[in-house]
Amino acid sequence: MPRKASTVNCAAVDLGATSGRVMVGTWSQNRLELSEVHRFPNGVRQVGNHAYWDIAGLWEQVQQGLEFAARSLPAGEELASVGVDTWGVDYVLVDAKGRAVYPTHAYRDDRTQDGLKALTDDPGALRKIYRTTGIPAIFLNSSFQLAETVASHPAITTTAKRCLFLPDYFNFLLSGKMTSGQSIAGTSQLLNVKTGRWSRAVLKYFRVPTGWFTPPLHSGVNLGRTRNIPALKRTRVIAVPGHDTTCAYDAIPAAADGTDILISSGTWSLVGMENDRPLLSDGAIAARVANDQTGRGDYRPLVNVIGLWLLEETLKDFKSRPSKASEWTKLINAARALPLSEHLLDVKDPVFGNPASMRQAIDNQLKRRRLKPPVDLTAYVRLICDSLGQGHADVIANLAKLSGRTFKRIIMVGGGSQNALLCQATADAAQLPVMSCQLEGSAVGNMANQLIALKAVKNLAEFRGYLSKQLKIKYFCPA
């Protein structure tokens, strides 16, 4: 195993809903140096009335990126390990040999609405399942997806032998081992939040075969050497927390006393806290708190708020939109110069989930309230950022009430942390200072778990301590 004084090279495969990347991290003298060696687009493929992921295309890009990663190192050095994180809930159904036997639907597919309605119409079942799993009833949950698949195609229960969540599937392609990581399994609404094991009662409710799953692995398990990628023949596959949100939170240098609110701001805004127990009260059910499992025995109660998806999709309706950093800065600064939005969007409105036109969806919501839509792109940006900031603040207030905790600071990472307007809007709405960290959140957390598994660092607290000394930080004080 590498010694602390050694130089250790790791590769993080970090897959998001709109893009993927492969990054190399070099750990030397208690510092992490990052290099992005490959970035590629990702997106939902609409076929008829359903939405899918191009899994084969992603795997091709992952392999290419890992080959780039190996070639990027100085002569004589090699990758010690690789870890994979992805968005939550989606999965691949495979046969006993790992061959995919069913197309991989994307979580934005609305095929689950009937199942969602059935559960929400049964308050007793809704409460029982929430208190068992710690996951709110949301249309995108793996539970509803799997239930719909089994109901629509019953023969799949004999054809498929395993259900591999996306990071587990890519770990299988890399290592040849089919496993279930606790972090990513925790997003499914099928795992017992207190025991970390699959809930037979919940699996029975959704009519999902228990045989599709194996006992969840804790974070940091060594799955063995990679296969079929010659440049990585000595590289170990580490089962890092497969959920990108868990990885992103791992990278955040949060205060040990639990008084920080953590926001991972990207396509979604994940607003949460660190806790030694899940939040499972009726209030938590109403607030739709998802109890993220770290795979180490602790929890991050958090709430999904629609995030930069609102802005990303709105931009598609404008011919003239920013394409490089300087243009983004100019647009954000122009939006900051506008007055505070007098009326805000209801960011919880389900119409923003996957509309044909986000601009039209925004306009329609405003018109229903007898309000005028923004006049240009700059005004849309101002409205969206102000609305997202208030959405963050509403969640923070609710988490304080549910946990009985007083929060002193907000730490933001991810793409939204580089949006000065969004950071300021969050600070103003929550009346808390925002610490914006220029941090490749999920990729860094991915690497942190690899380094812990390789014994290059002792634990997450030690890693955070070292990392905090090299971060670029900006503060936004509430007005």
Side-chain angles (χ1 to χ4, degrees):
M1 290 290 184
R3 299 183 306 275
K4 276 194 177 181
S6 303
T7 295
V8 180
N9 299 304
C10 300
V13 176
D14 179 29
L15 302 180
T18 57
S19 68
R21 59 186 175 168
V22 176
M23 299 192 73
V24 171
T26 298
W27 182 257
S28 180
Q29 298 182 334
N30 298 326
R31 287 182 60 86
L32 182 65
E33 300 298 331
L34 297 174
S35 174
E36 184 181 286
V37 295
H38 189 45
R39 178 177 284 269
F40 45 93
N42 187 28
V44 172
R45 304 292 193 267
Q46 199 73 28
V47 181
N49 295 325
H50 293 288
Y52 303 91
W53 297 112
D54 179 10
I55 298 299
L58 285 174
W59 173 234
E60 182 178 351
Q61 295 292 343
V62 167
Q63 292 178 92
Q64 187 176 4
L66 289 174
E67 289 171 350
F68 289 160
R71 292 204 296 265
S72 74
L73 299 177
E77 294 189 18
E78 59 187 5
L79 290 171
S81 60
V82 57
V84 181
D85 67 84
T86 77
W87 64 94
V89 305
D90 289 334
Y91 55 85
V92 180
L93 294 176
V94 300
D95 65 15
K97 294 184 178 180
R99 181 178 179 178
V101 295
Y102 197 82
T104 300
H105 283 268
Y107 63 83
R108 291 194 184 277
D109 194 310
D110 67 357
R111 66 193 175 112
T112 60
Q113 294 299 331
D114 289 345
L116 174 62
K117 185 176 186 303
L119 181 57
T120 54
D121 285 348
D122 185 345
L126 181 67
R127 185 179 297 108
K128 184 176 181 180
I129 288 175
Y130 181 81
R131 288 186 171 166
T132 300
T133 68
I135 299 297
I138 303 174
F139 77 96
L140 51 75
N141 289 349
S142 319
S143 53
F144 295 117
Q145 294 197 54
L146 287 165
E148 190 278 336
T149 294
V150 170
S152 298
H153 302 98
I156 196 66
T157 59
T158 55
T159 305
K161 301 302 180 184
R162 292 292 305 278
C163 174
L164 298 178
F165 296 99
L166 291 188
D168 300 326
Y169 181 66
F170 287 108
N171 282 341
F172 162 69
L173 294 177
L174 287 167
S175 71
K177 294 180 180 176
M178 288 191 267
T179 59
S180 297
Q182 186 177 354
S183 165
I184 195 69
T187 71
S188 68
Q189 203 187 24
L190 298 171
L191 206 65
N192 187 305
V193 71
K194 294 179 180 178
T195 67
R197 302 187 185 98
W198 299 105
S199 169
R200 288 187 172 272
V202 176
L203 287 166
K204 182 178 180 180
Y205 174 88
F206 289 107
R207 300 182 180 179
V208 177
T210 58
W212 279 359
F213 306 98
T214 55
L217 295 179
H218 286 180
S219 301
V221 172
N222 185 333
L223 299 179
R225 292 182 178 175
T226 58
R227 59 175 191 166
N228 302 326
I229 304 179
L232 275 70
K233 62 183 179 181
R234 288 164 52 87
T235 302
R236 298 284 177 174
V237 181
I238 304 297
V240 303
H243 190 201
D244 54 5
T245 301
T246 310
C247 284
Y249 273 33
D250 281 352
I252 298 175
D257 63 4
T259 57
D260 284 332
I261 277 287
L262 314 180
I263 300 180
S264 177
S265 176
T267 301
W268 292 91
S269 281
L270 291 306
V271 185
M273 56 183 281
E274 298 193 319
N275 213 28
D276 59 1
R277 60 183 176 83
L279 301 181
L280 300 172
S281 66
D282 286 347
I285 296 174
R288 300 164 73 84
V289 174
N291 290 278
D292 183 58
Q293 300 186 46
T294 66
R296 293 183 297 272
D298 53 344
Y299 304 89
R300 274 81 176 258
L302 56 86
V303 177
N304 284 3
V305 184
I306 195 167
L308 294 174
W309 170 258
L310 264 178
L311 183 54
E312 292 162 356
E313 291 299 297
T314 299
L315 287 170
K316 293 179 180 179
D317 289 317
F318 289 86
K319 291 182 179 179
S320 177
R321 54 183 183 262
S323 59
K324 50 188 178 181
S326 60
E327 294 173 353
W328 270 107
T329 300
K330 183 178 179 181
L331 176 60
I332 295 300
N333 287 340
R336 291 182 77 183
L338 295 178
L340 179 69
S341 301
E342 185 177 354
H343 301 283
L344 301 177
L345 298 171
D346 174 8
V347 295
K348 299 188 293 295
D349 191 333
V351 300
F352 296 141
N354 192 22
S357 166
M358 186 66 77
R359 181 182 183 181
Q360 191 62 53
I362 290 172
D363 291 355
N364 289 344
Q365 188 193 95
L366 294 171
K367 289 174 181 176
R368 286 196 301 271
R369 296 159 56 194
R370 301 181 185 277
L371 301 172
K372 291 183 179 180
V375 296
D376 56 21
L377 177 57
T378 304
Y380 276 96
V381 172
R382 179 77 210 206
L383 173 63
I384 289 170
C385 289
D386 286 344
S387 301
L388 293 178
Q390 186 60 55
H392 294 162
D394 291 344
V395 172
I396 292 167
N398 225 343
L399 288 175
K401 179 180 178 181
L402 293 169
S403 66
R405 191 171 295 177
T406 299
F407 298 111
K408 299 178 180 178
R409 179 177 64 173
I410 299 167
I411 306 179
M412 285 183 66
V413 300
S417 70
Q418 305 309 303
N419 182 326
L421 176 56
L422 180 57
C423 290
Q424 189 63 58
T426 300
D428 292 346
Q431 284 297 290
L432 288 171
V434 169
M435 185 176 94
S436 166
C437 297
Q438 191 170 332
L439 174 66
E440 298 289 352
S442 50
V444 170
N446 180 323
M447 292 175 188
N449 282 276
Q450 293 183 58
L451 292 168
I452 293 167
L454 295 169
K455 302 189 184 306
V457 293
K458 183 179 179 181
N459 53 34
L460 188 60
E462 182 177 89
F463 176 83
R464 284 173 161 179
Y466 290 135
L467 183 69
S468 64
K469 298 174 183 178
Q470 67 180 97
L471 292 179
K472 293 181 180 178
I473 294 172
K474 188 172 182 178
Y475 289 92
F476 297 83
C477 295

